[in-house]
Amino acid sequence: DTSVSPPAGGQVPEARSLASALKKGPPGKTLVACKGDDGRMSLRKLKRSLGQARRKGFRLRPSQPKKEISKAKAKRLLKLNRKLARKCKFNTVQEAVNKARNNDRVVIMPGRYREKPSRNAPTNDPACADLTQEDSGGALTPSYEYQVTCPNDQNLIYVQGREVVGEPLPEPDPNRHGIPEQELGPCLKCNLQVEGSGVKPKDVILDGGIGYEGVGPKAKPSDYAKHVVLRVDRADGFVGRNFLTRGALEFGFYAEEVDGLLLDKVAFFWAADYGHLTFTTDHNKIKNCEGFGSGDSVVYPGASPETGLQADTSFYPDAPRINTVVTKCDLYGSALGYSGSMGNAVRITNNHIYGNTTGISSDTLSAGGHPGFPADGSVIDHNYIYSNNLNLYVNNPHVEPVVPVPIGVGVIYPGMNDARVHDNWIFDNWRNGTMLFTVPDNAVNGAPEGSINPGISCPTASAGVSTSCNNRHFGNRMGQVPPGFEFPKALDRFGTPHGTGSGPLPNGTDFWWAAWPGNTDNCWFDNVGSDGTEDGITSDPPRDPLEAAPNDPLFSSCDNTVATLDGPKYAVLIDCGEGPDSETGPLDCDWWRPPARPASAAALRERSELAAAARRFADGGEAARLRERAAELSGTGD
């Protein structure tokens, strides 16, 4: 947007240094929020944090070695904060944000910001009841004008990026590219930077929780004041740095319709749904982050722009390109570390993802409300993905799961095209290292949102199947532990089962694939197993075509066009799609039961018992029902 200077959006913004917040002159002015008269409480908290950092060091995230802060650097940071305290005019972050304009800075000094005025704002405010709009399914949902008019109805802190102009379209436009022209108001808070001035993210807590169990930044709330802690709408060029969001009924951080977004040195604790959610947001980067306690996933770039091989190049002339990057983060202690429905062209790289029920999921399941169908272009590379064995399907779980995912899986792709999973260390996931399967179009949650671009959507598949094609898994080290690796202490926070020692820690099965007719060009090559060789790879189906018959083998060549229906697997997947239950038949879903440790006597016994039970089950009525449902989903009656 060149109406502001410098232009907003078009690229991931660069963060301005904290020291530059005190410089006079353009671009923008600095607004400071602090705790106590003249920031005295903030300064006391900073001094304590600096003292601890000097004595013991500190970590930005659990898997990272401790960082040290020199005496000189500590002295400079304290001096800087004293100057900021003299500029402090606000006791809440929302007050400072309200005064900000394009190119401005909001600096938050150390402290816990409960935002009492926002907490007291009514939820479902009658003043905004007429500002809802219909989504494509006919349900009423808050409009942009709703959020602007009642900013603290749902949100503890709200950033309005653009002026409200025009009316929403009477019906959603099938073309989901860009904000509708009649609604695209001029920038009000573009190129805004919001940052904490402490040593580390936990020094500045944006807190939406109520009734904490214990003390400290990682304490668990018993209830929530608002749905979202910090929401950013249409604020192109937004930078958020060095703070923690904690205690949200839905999302800790939420950005929608933003072009140009950087989150750096941030933490997301105890969000009942997502710690972080971005939606229809381009040129997006999340780095140096930590999160846990999410009932869905810690980080979720949903409906990321369709800049992959199915891009409309008249709108995205630079496609194909990655639009979102998640890097140098620890995502743990949740139902999912990362997820993204219609997470097109997202790169997940150089992260530690561990101690979740499932580590990573990118899917085509939630088509309703998520433009960009079907999902394509995901890249997962150079990560450590391990020990995702957290069982949340128990009474009084540490984290209440709101999404059904299998216990013990590193990466799951329920409907994905053109993905690349490469050069990762994937180990100690007791069910499967990776999983790939088709989601039939008529099985998704609602009709696809908007028009569907032509491209790589399984061109030879049977009717009604757009996924999963052209997915490649290569260069991964499966079941091997990196040299010098140490498990982070955070892995034991909720008692997640995991292996120990420096030797190999195999996955239950390294690669799991459920083939569907017309799935083309999926391949697995140049990977090594727990013994350090390619022959050490474990897979279902086997890599040997003779052993795999009559189902398809795990192809090593990417140029393949043959795939048949792996019926027994899809019978199980159908049952999994119906959610957790108490049935225990061999073709009933076993995702909700903790798998035994790979290669243990218990694991070998389970496998033998399951094979015998499956043979008995195949002739029963439940198996017949599942076959009928599979035939219905295939669109062929076969």
Side-chain angles (χ1 to χ4, degrees), residues 32-50:
V32 181
C34 63
K35 287 295 178 182
D37 294 337
D38 300 321
R40 291 175 185 173
M41 290 175 60
S42 291
L43 289 171
R44 284 200 298 269
K45 183 173 178 62
L46 176 64
K47 289 176 183 177
R48 288 196 299 270
S49 182
L50 284 169

Side-chain angles (χ1 to χ4, degrees), residues 354-356 385-389 427-429 487 491 496-499:
Y354 56 91
N356 305 286
I385 304 168
Y386 54 94
S387 306
N388 290 288
N389 306 310
F427 58 96
D428 198 40
N429 302 287
F487 285 106
L491 179 58
T496 302
H498 62 87

